[in-house]
Structure formats: structure tokens, C-alpha cells
Amino acid sequence: MSHLLSVADLGAQGIEEILRLTDSFVEVSERAIPKVPALRGKTVVSLFYEDSTRTRLSFETAAKRLGADTMTFSVGTSSVKKGESVRDTVQTIEAMGVDAIVVRHASAGVPWQIARWASSVIVNAGDGWHEHPTQALLDCYTIRRRLGSLQGRRIAIVGDIKHSRVARSDVLAFTMLGAEVVLVAPPTLLPPSLEGWPVTVEHDLDETLSKVDVVYLLRMQLERQREALLPSLREYTARYGLTPRRAEHLGADAIVMHPGPMNRGVEIAAEVADLPNAVMVDQVRNGVAVRMAVLFLLLGSGTQLEGVDRG
Amino acid sequence: MAEAAVLVVTGGRVVDREGERPADIAVGADGRILAVDPSIEPGGAQVLDATGCVVAPGLVDLHTHLREPGREEAETVESGSRAAALGGFTAVVAMPNTEPTVDNAAVVSQVLDLGKRGLCEVFTAGAITVGREGEQLAPMGEMAALGVRLFTDDGRGVQDERLMRRALEYASGLDVTLAQHCEVESLSRGGHMHEGAWSSRLGIPGIPAQAEELMVSRDLALVELTGARMHFQHLSTAGSVELVRAAKAKGLPVTAEACPHHFTLTHAALAGYDPVFKVNPPLRTDGDVAAVKRGLGDGTIDAIATDHAPHTQETKEAPFDEAPCGMVGLETALALALTELELPIERVLALLSWQPAAIAGIADSHGGPVAVGRPANLCVIDTGASWVVDPARSASRSRNNPYAGRTLTGKVRHTVLWGEPVVVEGEAQR
Ligand SMILES: [Zn+2]
């Protein structure tokens, strides 16, 4: 693996390998000094064209725990605002001597374009509506920790699938690992075509909840109402929000997931978000370990992994 | 021959609207054909060898973006006309979406003047509305007086029905043709590729086929209402082709064009997010490609137009949703048609030469037939030659060519413009 652009490039085997390695890094993260020198001397740059403090901090924490140096290319204060092209920015960064560029961009495909020009390793930290592969990996890891395996599990992804990079990556990853995925959304928030997607579609959340092991709620962007994709957020919540009453339909072992940040009271009620089977905090914690595994696989070598049991 | 020939094209097979025959062609100093005979002694005239080649009337492109004035870094009239000549075109109709817009006599004159130094004859379309803003009719009469025969807001369709009706009525009084870029913007807005399986997978906002078809359908209704003549530009969907087919069957005075990329590429080409494949109307499905091919084969679509749309590398390297639409096409159109369409060469030449010449209103000087007294606007095609597309070798200032590395069959050997060999052995002469 030379870059991490899409979950599709990993295949089930690649995902398994990362998840196995993640176990080791979870163990590292639980130590008193949660650091290993596996990537000492390497430099990882965060190139974030779109604000996402959570994802950026997660990657930077992962890199630091592996002993790498980190840099942030802050687009808000840079020449990019003055119209510098992505290619020029990448070339400037590379001239400073970097090993990996973690890129987030509001436009789909930018990591693919950069990978054609760059000589360093490119990690897709979210591109437009398209993909967010490390999110899918941490979601798989979280489900596995809670439920043992994804094989044969039924997972409902609820909400704005159309504009969601998380949903696209999750559908790929979950189904590759043997889960069944059902999408629950109003038709205006589904992609125009689901040709080739290994999913089923349901419009009734109540019907679905009692039959699934995982309910994965997506963040509802408030502007969808302005774009006439929804009559109102109130109606969305009434039909698709995970209210305490709806949550009662969930099986005893079923878990609730959300990529964050949550709109409490819109797609998820505050009380539900705080239930013990809501695993959002696990998702964040596992995110660091998964990203350590990804950076290690892309940048490290076996001999550098001192003190870590590759299990 | 009383007059001495200055140029003789020897050894070729002439193919024009009258059919096919082996013949040599002699051209006089006035740029007109002096003789067409089975064998002509060149004497002191320059000889163009056409052995084994088809000698055809020069090709005519109804839809070329020359970018001048305003975007000379992407193309100029001169560089665009050179690319056209290398592609076998002896005439192009420049689109009016320049900066400033070709929406008045002054800009028309500017483009026509620049064209006089070109390697093909440069005609220009005028805008239907001032600034292509869709609000006020442009002075079509003053532009028509300078020879403009085609009007379009290309890059945009005229959104307002009432204004389009008036434009059609007004145009019919000037004996000019309105051409429409069919796109209902309230449906296409925000989209960057065809809406369907690939846009869904790639997470790119889509443009549904219906954004085009609704305007085709609306304009057909307006043609019926006004009786005016109308030309549909770059049809890309099966539905559009079907609408035009039905309209022609009803006898409506409409014509249509399609672009090489719409019969050779599909939306699957966007899988790698390369903006070189970003074009408007967008690349569509296999079914749409098949329908466009059928339309070209059965006469529903009258012309192949390039929609040659040069863009600099810097602008095309932007993120996909920010990159401009368009691809170059002048140098590959003929070869793509010969390679991909499975039509006899007379049909391909009808689509690329005499039919577009008639739509452009320039059939008196372009599109043949190859006969004594006619202007010597010719191209000589080696139909068997195969070649590999190399954007770096293009005469265009821009390199946004989606066919890089593709092997095509059929190459322009010579192009003759009013008797002057502007391309000889595949090389531009100036
Ligand atoms: Zn157009």
C-alpha cells in the first residue's frame, strides 16, 4: 500500500491487517507513556483545506505517539487563500521534506489528484462527499470490539447518505467485512443512483431498528432544509431522529454510533447519546489507534516497531 | 485549361456529396478549382500527393471556442485555426462566449479581422442575448449585416421561455439560425458530471439528463409556435436524440449536432477524478453513447461539432468541482469519427463537412462539391494511417486532450484553404 485514498483499495484483507495492528496500538495508547519510536525521523503534514479539528488532532496525536514530527499546513492563513493552486502548495510542502501528507478537502477526488503529482504518501482524511477511509476503519474496529465481528451483522446507516463521505466509506468497509447494510433516509438524501451498492433501502426507521445490531446516525447539516431536501428539521427528527422512544426498539446488545459532531435533538436525542450502548467516545479513542496503524503501515517498517507486539 | 494551375492534387479519390471517383484536381491562382479530371499534368504547379487518400471538401466545425478575445493564454484565433487546419477543417464557427462577449458589431469585426490571418476561415457566431445573460436580445441585425449566420448563448441556454420565443421570431426575420446549448439551469446548477451511478459513487454532484432534455423539448415547442429554424448544439442524451428524431418526423425545421466525446467516452472516465474529462454537457452513459451513434447514423443528428474548448493546465488542475468544463477536439474529431462510428466515409464527411456548412450558412464556399469554379477548400485524408494522440504535439495552446495515448485510424495529410496548402504532409505551413 503506497497511499490510503479509498477503502476500496484496501480490500477485506487490507482492512483486517489494519484492524489487527490497531489492537497493538490500542495497547500502546493505554500505557503510562503512550509512545513508541516507530516513526522517529518521519514527518507527517496535515493539509486541511476544510476545518476539522477532530480529525486533524486525531491524526496528529497518532503521528506523535509513533514518534513522528508533525506539521500543520493551515490553509486559512496561507497563500492558498490568495489563490495558490493545490499543486503548488503540495510542491512547496514536499520541498520542506515530508514523508506523508494527510489531506482533507471539500472537493471529492483531491487526494487522487495530489497522489498523481506528489512523491510522498497521501492519506485521505476526507474528500468532499466521497470518502473518509480512516473513519470507516475506526468504525469497523469499534464494532468489532463491541460485537466481536462484522460477519452477518445488520447495520443501519441513517440520515444524509447522499452528502456523506462517512457513509460511502462505511458501506464499502462494512460490506467487505461481511455485514449487511440498510440505508434509512428520505429519498432526497439518498444518492441519485445506488447501482452497484451492496445495500438495501428502507424509509421507515421504526421498522428497521428492531432488526439491526448497529444503528449508525449521520450528522444532519442544517442547510439541507434551505436546499429543499427536507421540509423542516422538525419533520426530519420526527421521522428519522433517534428519540428515546425509538431507541427502545433496539435490541439489548445493539449499539448506537455517530461520526460526530452530533446535533443533539436533531438526528439523536441527548438522552440516547448518553446511553451505555452509544459508543461515540470509543469511536474517538479508537480513531487514534487506527490512524497509528495506518501511518505505521504506510511509513514504517517491521524493525522500527520496538516494544509493540504485532499480535 | 486556359489558365495555369498553381496547385495540383494528384492520385486521390474524391469523395463529396455527389459520390466517389478517382480524380486529380487543379487549382488556379484565384483559389478556385480549375479542373477535375482523371489525370492532370501538373506542369509548373505545386503538387500535393494524394495517392491512396480521400480528397474531400474541407471540414467545417460549427462549434469552436477560440478564446480570443479575453483568454489568449488558453487559445488564440491563430493557434486555434492552426489546430483546425491540422484536423482537416477549412472553416470554423467561433462561439461567442469570449471576454467581451461577441454580442455587437465591434467584437464581431475584431474576431473576423483576427481570423483573416488564420489557417482556416474563421466565422463567428453571435450571442442571442447581451452578455449571454439571458435578459435582453443582442443586436442580431447589426451582427447579421457583418455576415453572422448563427446565434447562440453557448455555455448557457436561454432560460426564459418568453425571451426565447421572441429571439426565434426576431431571428426568422433576419434569415439567421438560432443555436441552443440546452440546459435548464435550475436542474443542473451545482452539478459537475452526469447524474447517475458514477456521480453517486464518486460523490460528485450530478447533472441529470433531463436538464438537457427539458430544454430540447421546450425549444421544439417554441419552434412549433414560431415556425423559426433552430439548431441544437452538442446533444448528449438518448432522450434528446429521440426528441429531435420525433420533431424531424413531424417536419419541424430543426438540425442538431453531437460531439466526438459524446460518442466515444462515458461517465466512467471520471473514476480517477481527472478534470480533463470534465465537459458540459457531461459525459453520459453507455446507453446515451449508443443513442448518439444511432442518431448520427440515421440522420437525426446532422453534424459532428467539436466543442473544442481549450483550457490552460493550471485551470484544469483545480479540484474537480472547481475546474472549468471543456476539452480540445479539433485535431481528433475526424479520426475519432472514422475510428469509432462504423459509418462509410461519405457519411462521416457529410457529418463533418457539407451538412455543417449548410447549417452555418457557408455552403457557397465550404463543403463542396469538388467541381470547377468552386473554392478550393479541401482536405486530403489518409484513411488507413494510424497514429497515437499526443497532446504535447498539438497546435492548440492548451493540452486538455482526453484521448492522450489513444490510437486512432485516419489522418489528415494535407489541407488546402482557398488554394493555399496550409497543411502539407501533416505539418502546418505557417
Ligand atoms: Zn455548450
Side-chain angles (χ1 to χ4, degrees), chain A residues 36-59:
Chain A
V36 285
L39 296 186
R40 200 158 48 199
K42 304 275 187 187
T43 302
V44 176
V45 176
S46 312
L47 175 56
F48 275 51
Y49 285 87
E50 186 185 66
D51 279 342
S52 174
T53 311
R54 293 160 172 255
T55 304
R56 186 172 57 77
L57 283 180
S58 181
F59 270 105

mmCIF file of all heavy atoms in Angstrom, chain A residues 36-59:
data_model
loop_
_atom_site.group_PDB
_atom_site.id
_atom_site.type_symbol
_atom_site.label_atom_id
_atom_site.label_comp_id
_atom_site.label_asym_id
_atom_site.label_seq_id
_atom_site.Cartn_x
_atom_site.Cartn_y
_atom_site.Cartn_z
ATOM 1 N N VAL A 36 5.666 5.153 21.046
ATOM 2 C CA VAL A 36 6.695 4.243 20.531
ATOM 3 C C VAL A 36 7.477 5.002 19.462
ATOM 4 O O VAL A 36 6.933 5.912 18.826
ATOM 5 C CB VAL A 36 6.085 2.960 19.905
ATOM 6 C CG1 VAL A 36 5.589 2.019 20.987
ATOM 7 C CG2 VAL A 36 4.977 3.300 18.931
ATOM 8 N N PRO A 37 8.738 4.653 19.279
ATOM 9 C CA PRO A 37 9.550 5.445 18.340
ATOM 10 C C PRO A 37 9.500 4.919 16.910
ATOM 11 O O PRO A 37 10.418 5.128 16.134
ATOM 12 C CB PRO A 37 10.956 5.273 18.926
ATOM 13 C CG PRO A 37 10.936 3.905 19.551
ATOM 14 C CD PRO A 37 9.522 3.615 19.970
ATOM 15 N N ALA A 38 8.407 4.279 16.552
ATOM 16 C CA ALA A 38 8.360 3.580 15.270
ATOM 17 C C ALA A 38 8.567 4.494 14.065
ATOM 18 O O ALA A 38 9.092 4.067 13.041
ATOM 19 C CB ALA A 38 7.025 2.850 15.134
ATOM 20 N N LEU A 39 8.125 5.731 14.161
ATOM 21 C CA LEU A 39 8.262 6.641 13.005
ATOM 22 C C LEU A 39 9.190 7.806 13.329
ATOM 23 O O LEU A 39 9.032 8.903 12.779
ATOM 24 C CB LEU A 39 6.885 7.158 12.557
ATOM 25 C CG LEU A 39 5.901 6.116 12.029
ATOM 26 C CD1 LEU A 39 4.646 6.799 11.497
ATOM 27 C CD2 LEU A 39 6.524 5.237 10.935
ATOM 28 N N ARG A 40 10.165 7.558 14.212
ATOM 29 C CA ARG A 40 11.099 8.617 14.552
ATOM 30 C C ARG A 40 11.820 9.081 13.289
ATOM 31 O O ARG A 40 12.251 8.257 12.472
ATOM 32 C CB ARG A 40 12.109 8.124 15.583
ATOM 33 C CG ARG A 40 12.793 9.259 16.324
ATOM 34 C CD ARG A 40 13.353 8.795 17.647
ATOM 35 N NE ARG A 40 14.126 7.561 17.502
ATOM 36 C CZ ARG A 40 14.413 6.747 18.505
ATOM 37 N NH1 ARG A 40 14.014 7.022 19.739
ATOM 38 N NH2 ARG A 40 15.117 5.651 18.295
ATOM 39 N N GLY A 41 11.928 10.385 13.122
ATOM 40 C CA GLY A 41 12.598 10.917 11.930
ATOM 41 C C GLY A 41 11.674 11.133 10.746
ATOM 42 O O GLY A 41 12.075 11.695 9.736
ATOM 43 N N LYS A 42 10.436 10.654 10.868
ATOM 44 C CA LYS A 42 9.487 10.889 9.765
ATOM 45 C C LYS A 42 8.672 12.148 10.051
ATOM 46 O O LYS A 42 8.451 12.514 11.205
ATOM 47 C CB LYS A 42 8.509 9.713 9.637
ATOM 48 C CG LYS A 42 9.192 8.375 9.461
ATOM 49 C CD LYS A 42 9.534 8.128 8.009
ATOM 50 C CE LYS A 42 10.072 6.705 7.835
ATOM 51 N NZ LYS A 42 10.579 6.477 6.483
ATOM 52 N N THR A 43 8.218 12.786 8.977
ATOM 53 C CA THR A 43 7.402 13.988 9.135
ATOM 54 C C THR A 43 6.048 13.788 8.459
ATOM 55 O O THR A 43 5.978 13.379 7.299
ATOM 56 C CB THR A 43 8.109 15.205 8.512
ATOM 57 O OG1 THR A 43 9.378 15.357 9.156
ATOM 58 C CG2 THR A 43 7.288 16.473 8.714
ATOM 59 N N VAL A 44 5.028 14.052 9.244
ATOM 60 C CA VAL A 44 3.658 13.932 8.736
ATOM 61 C C VAL A 44 3.026 15.328 8.724
ATOM 62 O O VAL A 44 3.038 16.015 9.738
ATOM 63 C CB VAL A 44 2.822 12.984 9.630
ATOM 64 C CG1 VAL A 44 1.362 12.939 9.162
ATOM 65 C CG2 VAL A 44 3.443 11.586 9.652
ATOM 66 N N VAL A 45 2.516 15.718 7.565
ATOM 67 C CA VAL A 45 1.894 17.045 7.433
ATOM 68 C C VAL A 45 0.381 16.906 7.339
ATOM 69 O O VAL A 45 -0.116 16.078 6.584
ATOM 70 C CB VAL A 45 2.392 17.750 6.159
ATOM 71 C CG1 VAL A 45 1.678 19.085 5.974
ATOM 72 C CG2 VAL A 45 3.880 17.974 6.234
ATOM 73 N N SER A 46 -0.308 17.731 8.096
ATOM 74 C CA SER A 46 -1.760 17.828 7.915
ATOM 75 C C SER A 46 -2.039 18.978 6.973
ATOM 76 O O SER A 46 -1.695 20.112 7.265
ATOM 77 C CB SER A 46 -2.468 18.131 9.233
ATOM 78 O OG SER A 46 -2.010 17.294 10.249
ATOM 79 N N LEU A 47 -2.643 18.662 5.836
ATOM 80 C CA LEU A 47 -3.003 19.693 4.865
ATOM 81 C C LEU A 47 -4.527 19.738 4.823
ATOM 82 O O LEU A 47 -5.165 18.975 4.115
ATOM 83 C CB LEU A 47 -2.412 19.334 3.498
ATOM 84 C CG LEU A 47 -2.774 20.233 2.315
ATOM 85 C CD1 LEU A 47 -2.415 21.684 2.570
ATOM 86 C CD2 LEU A 47 -2.092 19.731 1.044
ATOM 87 N N PHE A 48 -5.072 20.617 5.642
ATOM 88 C CA PHE A 48 -6.527 20.657 5.788
ATOM 89 C C PHE A 48 -7.107 21.900 5.124
ATOM 90 O O PHE A 48 -6.947 23.009 5.606
ATOM 91 C CB PHE A 48 -6.920 20.592 7.272
ATOM 92 C CG PHE A 48 -7.004 19.175 7.787
ATOM 93 C CD1 PHE A 48 -5.968 18.285 7.582
ATOM 94 C CD2 PHE A 48 -8.142 18.730 8.452
ATOM 95 C CE1 PHE A 48 -6.046 16.966 8.024
ATOM 96 C CE2 PHE A 48 -8.238 17.416 8.900
ATOM 97 C CZ PHE A 48 -7.189 16.535 8.691
ATOM 98 N N TYR A 49 -7.778 21.664 3.998
ATOM 99 C CA TYR A 49 -8.440 22.759 3.289
ATOM 100 C C TYR A 49 -9.823 23.017 3.866
ATOM 101 O O TYR A 49 -10.481 23.967 3.486
ATOM 102 C CB TYR A 49 -8.590 22.405 1.811
ATOM 103 C CG TYR A 49 -7.309 22.503 1.034
ATOM 104 C CD1 TYR A 49 -6.431 21.423 0.967
ATOM 105 C CD2 TYR A 49 -6.958 23.681 0.381
ATOM 106 C CE1 TYR A 49 -5.256 21.516 0.252
ATOM 107 C CE2 TYR A 49 -5.781 23.777 -0.337
ATOM 108 C CZ TYR A 49 -4.929 22.689 -0.395
ATOM 109 O OH TYR A 49 -3.763 22.795 -1.098
ATOM 110 N N GLU A 50 -10.261 22.111 4.697
ATOM 111 C CA GLU A 50 -11.586 22.230 5.292
ATOM 112 C C GLU A 50 -11.371 22.002 6.775
ATOM 113 O O GLU A 50 -10.644 21.083 7.153
ATOM 114 C CB GLU A 50 -12.485 21.137 4.693
ATOM 115 C CG GLU A 50 -13.924 21.202 5.099
ATOM 116 C CD GLU A 50 -14.684 19.989 4.542
ATOM 117 O OE1 GLU A 50 -14.400 18.855 4.952
ATOM 118 O OE2 GLU A 50 -15.560 20.196 3.699
ATOM 119 N N ASP A 51 -11.996 22.825 7.594
ATOM 120 C CA ASP A 51 -11.808 22.690 9.032
ATOM 121 C C ASP A 51 -12.342 21.364 9.525
ATOM 122 O O ASP A 51 -13.454 20.978 9.214
ATOM 123 C CB ASP A 51 -12.570 23.807 9.770
ATOM 124 C CG ASP A 51 -11.767 25.094 9.763
ATOM 125 O OD1 ASP A 51 -10.548 25.006 9.513
ATOM 126 O OD2 ASP A 51 -12.355 26.162 9.994
ATOM 127 N N SER A 52 -11.491 20.648 10.263
ATOM 128 C CA SER A 52 -11.987 19.501 11.005
ATOM 129 C C SER A 52 -10.981 19.261 12.118
ATOM 130 O O SER A 52 -10.040 18.501 11.974
ATOM 131 C CB SER A 52 -12.109 18.255 10.140
ATOM 132 O OG SER A 52 -12.473 17.179 10.985
ATOM 133 N N THR A 53 -11.179 19.988 13.196
ATOM 134 C CA THR A 53 -10.222 19.928 14.293
ATOM 135 C C THR A 53 -10.104 18.507 14.822
ATOM 136 O O THR A 53 -9.018 18.030 15.109
ATOM 137 C CB THR A 53 -10.655 20.898 15.409
ATOM 138 O OG1 THR A 53 -10.945 22.148 14.794
ATOM 139 C CG2 THR A 53 -9.561 21.078 16.434
ATOM 140 N N ARG A 54 -11.243 17.821 14.916
ATOM 141 C CA ARG A 54 -11.220 16.459 15.463
ATOM 142 C C ARG A 54 -10.330 15.524 14.652
ATOM 143 O O ARG A 54 -9.464 14.839 15.192
ATOM 144 C CB ARG A 54 -12.613 15.831 15.411
ATOM 145 C CG ARG A 54 -13.590 16.468 16.301
ATOM 146 C CD ARG A 54 -14.988 16.136 15.821
ATOM 147 N NE ARG A 54 -15.911 16.618 16.829
ATOM 148 C CZ ARG A 54 -16.562 15.827 17.691
ATOM 149 N NH1 ARG A 54 -16.452 14.528 17.620
ATOM 150 N NH2 ARG A 54 -17.332 16.344 18.604
ATOM 151 N N THR A 55 -10.579 15.495 13.360
ATOM 152 C CA THR A 55 -9.823 14.565 12.518
ATOM 153 C C THR A 55 -8.342 14.953 12.516
ATOM 154 O O THR A 55 -7.460 14.101 12.604
ATOM 155 C CB THR A 55 -10.400 14.559 11.096
ATOM 156 O OG1 THR A 55 -11.786 14.234 11.179
ATOM 157 C CG2 THR A 55 -9.704 13.536 10.219
ATOM 158 N N ARG A 56 -8.081 16.240 12.436
ATOM 159 C CA ARG A 56 -6.689 16.690 12.400
ATOM 160 C C ARG A 56 -5.967 16.329 13.702
ATOM 161 O O ARG A 56 -4.870 15.769 13.677
ATOM 162 C CB ARG A 56 -6.639 18.212 12.163
ATOM 163 C CG ARG A 56 -5.232 18.749 11.955
ATOM 164 C CD ARG A 56 -5.248 20.217 11.539
ATOM 165 N NE ARG A 56 -5.942 21.080 12.483
ATOM 166 C CZ ARG A 56 -5.421 21.480 13.648
ATOM 167 N NH1 ARG A 56 -4.221 21.092 14.017
ATOM 168 N NH2 ARG A 56 -6.127 22.263 14.448
ATOM 169 N N LEU A 57 -6.609 16.583 14.832
ATOM 170 C CA LEU A 57 -5.985 16.255 16.119
ATOM 171 C C LEU A 57 -5.773 14.754 16.250
ATOM 172 O O LEU A 57 -4.756 14.301 16.785
ATOM 173 C CB LEU A 57 -6.860 16.745 17.280
ATOM 174 C CG LEU A 57 -6.806 18.245 17.556
ATOM 175 C CD1 LEU A 57 -7.718 18.592 18.727
ATOM 176 C CD2 LEU A 57 -5.372 18.686 17.842
ATOM 177 N N SER A 58 -6.728 13.978 15.767
ATOM 178 C CA SER A 58 -6.607 12.522 15.856
ATOM 179 C C SER A 58 -5.381 12.036 15.067
ATOM 180 O O SER A 58 -4.580 11.238 15.562
ATOM 181 C CB SER A 58 -7.892 11.875 15.326
ATOM 182 O OG SER A 58 -7.808 10.470 15.432
ATOM 183 N N PHE A 59 -5.224 12.549 13.839
ATOM 184 C CA PHE A 59 -4.058 12.167 13.031
ATOM 185 C C PHE A 59 -2.765 12.648 13.688
ATOM 186 O O PHE A 59 -1.766 11.927 13.734
ATOM 187 C CB PHE A 59 -4.161 12.743 11.615
ATOM 188 C CG PHE A 59 -4.853 11.836 10.639
ATOM 189 C CD1 PHE A 59 -6.142 12.096 10.214
ATOM 190 C CD2 PHE A 59 -4.209 10.707 10.140
ATOM 191 C CE1 PHE A 59 -6.784 11.270 9.302
ATOM 192 C CE2 PHE A 59 -4.836 9.868 9.230
ATOM 193 C CZ PHE A 59 -6.132 10.143 8.809
#
